[in-house]
Amino acid sequence: WYQRRVRGFKNGSYVTIKRNFFDESQIALAPNFPGGLKLYSGVSASIIPTMDFGITIRILKTHQVMYPGGPLLDFMESILNDSKSGARAGGKQGNHRSSQPFHLNHTQIKYFDGILRGLKVVTKHLKHERTYTITGVHSLGANTTIIKVKEKCYASTTSASASETGSDKKYDEMSVAQYFKDKYKRDLTYPDLPLVKAGDETKLPIELCTLRPNQPFYRALDIAQQRDMIRQACQKPFEKMKDICRSGQEVREVTSEFTSSNYGFVINPNAIELSGRSLPHLKWSKIKMLRGVHGPCPPSNCPAVYQSKQGR
């Protein structure tokens, strides 16, 4: 049943990450997060059995740091131009791409090699859209990275035919920039920027890569990010309760048709109410330690010594 419920959320325009659900209509409004990232706000739902209330759906407010979708070049530039993440990325850069392409030093290349590893990017220089998984950042640019390409028969990726090493084959050596110019009629705008690795051989120009949206950021947050997370995720109790109740209603709307027809029940979206009483605030007077047979008597064992204005 839980798997069906998850499928219902996916069909209901929700981004699903494990047991966390994020409304796609709210993603465009997600606030910026230090490091060129986004902070999604959603709910976490799980089913737990309870002794007093039976099967219960536990709904919690959740926040998830996400990579923004869009050109990889824009994402990397936003990090370099972010004063909060400047120290982590090797220093704030003053250049803007409209006048001069930004430059990456060794420290910055090492930083991006870490945060980009494992991300999925899309390229459109082929006749069709293709998805790659980034495995790192190459230290050289398209002008200085030399590849071997079979004469008059270029491969469809920047790895060319480097894996073919038979002695009966002839190869030309050329730069990645020249390869894209000859093969795809593409003059790279920033051929000196480092390439991104995709697999063992393939290397792609950054400007041709587009980040797929809704990819979670699972790395440890730095101090600035932790501070911003606390600031943005903090809510007053009644505000959080209102959001959770609204999410409970959404759970019911998405799953009611399935649960009613297949299992004969519907979800009650209201929060569980517990009865209790408020104790008066007691003001205690000075406590005198009584001496018993075996030494001083602990206050917990001598209730008579707690003289309160509310009584004993």
Side-chain angles (χ1 to χ4, degrees):
W1 181 83
Y2 180 79
Q3 295 298 329
R4 292 290 186 91
R5 183 168 60 85
V6 169
R7 191 178 304 133
F9 267 102
K10 289 183 178 180
N11 294 336
S13 299
Y14 285 85
V15 174
T16 305
I17 301 175
K18 296 183 179 179
R19 294 186 177 183
N20 301 326
F21 307 98
F22 305 94
D23 189 346
E24 285 188 348
S25 64
Q26 300 298 317
I27 289 178
L29 305 176
N32 294 328
F33 195 74
L37 304 165
K38 291 285 187 178
L39 184 62
Y40 286 14
S41 177
V43 295
S44 173
S46 59
I47 299 176
I48 58 173
T50 61
M51 182 176 297
D52 297 327
F53 305 103
I55 300 299
T56 303
I57 297 180
R58 181 172 60 184
I59 299 177
L60 303 174
K61 189 77 173 180
T62 184
H63 293 81
Q64 175 65 54
V65 180
M66 307 286 282
Y67 288 93
L72 178 60
L73 193 59
D74 290 348
F75 170 66
M76 295 174 67
E77 187 182 26
S78 68
I79 294 179
L80 295 176
N81 290 332
D82 190 342
S83 59
K84 293 183 179 180
S85 60
R88 297 182 301 124
K92 184 178 179 180
Q93 303 295 308
N95 297 329
H96 192 274
R97 210 170 65 241
S98 60
S99 57
Q100 181 182 358
F102 62 82
H103 172 72
L104 299 183
N105 56 39
H106 176 73
T107 302
Q108 294 165 339
I109 291 176
K110 184 177 180 180
Y111 170 74
F112 282 115
D113 182 84
I115 68 168
L116 297 181
R117 191 182 298 269
L119 288 180
K120 296 185 182 300
V121 295
V122 177
T123 60
K124 297 180 180 180
H125 62 278
L126 302 173
K127 294 181 180 180
H128 58 279
E129 185 178 284
R130 183 169 180 178
T131 300
Y132 295 88
T133 299
I134 296 178
T135 57
V137 178
H138 190 53
S139 58
L140 302 177
N143 271 340
T144 52
T145 299
I146 305 301
I147 58 175
K148 291 182 178 181
V149 183
K150 188 176 179 181
E151 287 183 353
K152 299 181 181 179
C153 184
Y154 301 133
S156 60
T157 67
T158 57
S159 62
S161 301
S163 59
E164 301 179 16
T165 56
S167 58
D168 58 333
K169 294 182 175 59
K170 297 181 180 180
Y171 295 91
D172 281 339
E173 289 189 348
M174 64 175 61
S175 68
V176 172
Q178 186 64 42
Y179 170 78
F180 272 89
K181 182 176 182 180
D182 293 349
K183 176 65 177 179
Y184 303 109
K185 311 302 180 185
R186 296 288 297 267
D187 287 319
L188 298 180
T189 308
Y190 311 109
D192 294 322
L193 288 178
L195 304 171
V196 292
K197 302 176 185 177
D200 296 332
E201 298 290 341
T202 304
K203 298 177 180 66
L204 301 167
I206 293 175
E207 61 187 86
L208 299 183
C209 298
T210 301
L211 276 175
R212 279 198 173 279
N214 305 326
Q215 298 187 70
F217 180 87
Y218 287 131
R219 302 184 182 277
L221 303 181
D222 63 20
I223 295 177
Q225 291 173 325
Q226 292 176 17
R227 182 172 58 247
D228 200 77
M229 171 70 80
I230 294 173
R231 181 180 63 83
Q232 296 200 46
C234 182
Q235 279 186 301
K236 294 181 179 180
F238 71 90
E239 293 176 345
K240 180 175 291 187
M241 185 65 185
K242 184 178 179 180
D243 286 348
I244 291 176
C245 289
R246 183 172 61 249
S247 300
Q249 183 64 39
E250 292 176 359
V251 171
R252 175 174 179 168
E253 292 175 357
V254 172
T255 62
S256 60
E257 182 178 354
F258 174 79
T259 57
S260 177
S261 59
N262 290 273
Y263 295 96
F265 74 90
V266 293
I267 296 173
N268 182 357
N270 298 321
I272 294 175
E273 295 184 1
L274 302 175
S275 59
R277 62 190 180 92
S278 299
L279 297 176
H281 180 68
L282 303 181
K283 296 182 179 179
W284 303 102
S285 61
K286 292 182 179 180
I287 299 175
K288 295 181 180 180
M289 183 69 72
L290 299 181
R291 182 168 294 276
V293 177
H294 302 288
C297 178
S300 59
N301 297 331
C302 303
V305 302
Y306 291 90
Q307 301 297 327
S308 170
K309 294 181 180 181
Q310 300 292 338
R312 295 192 176 187

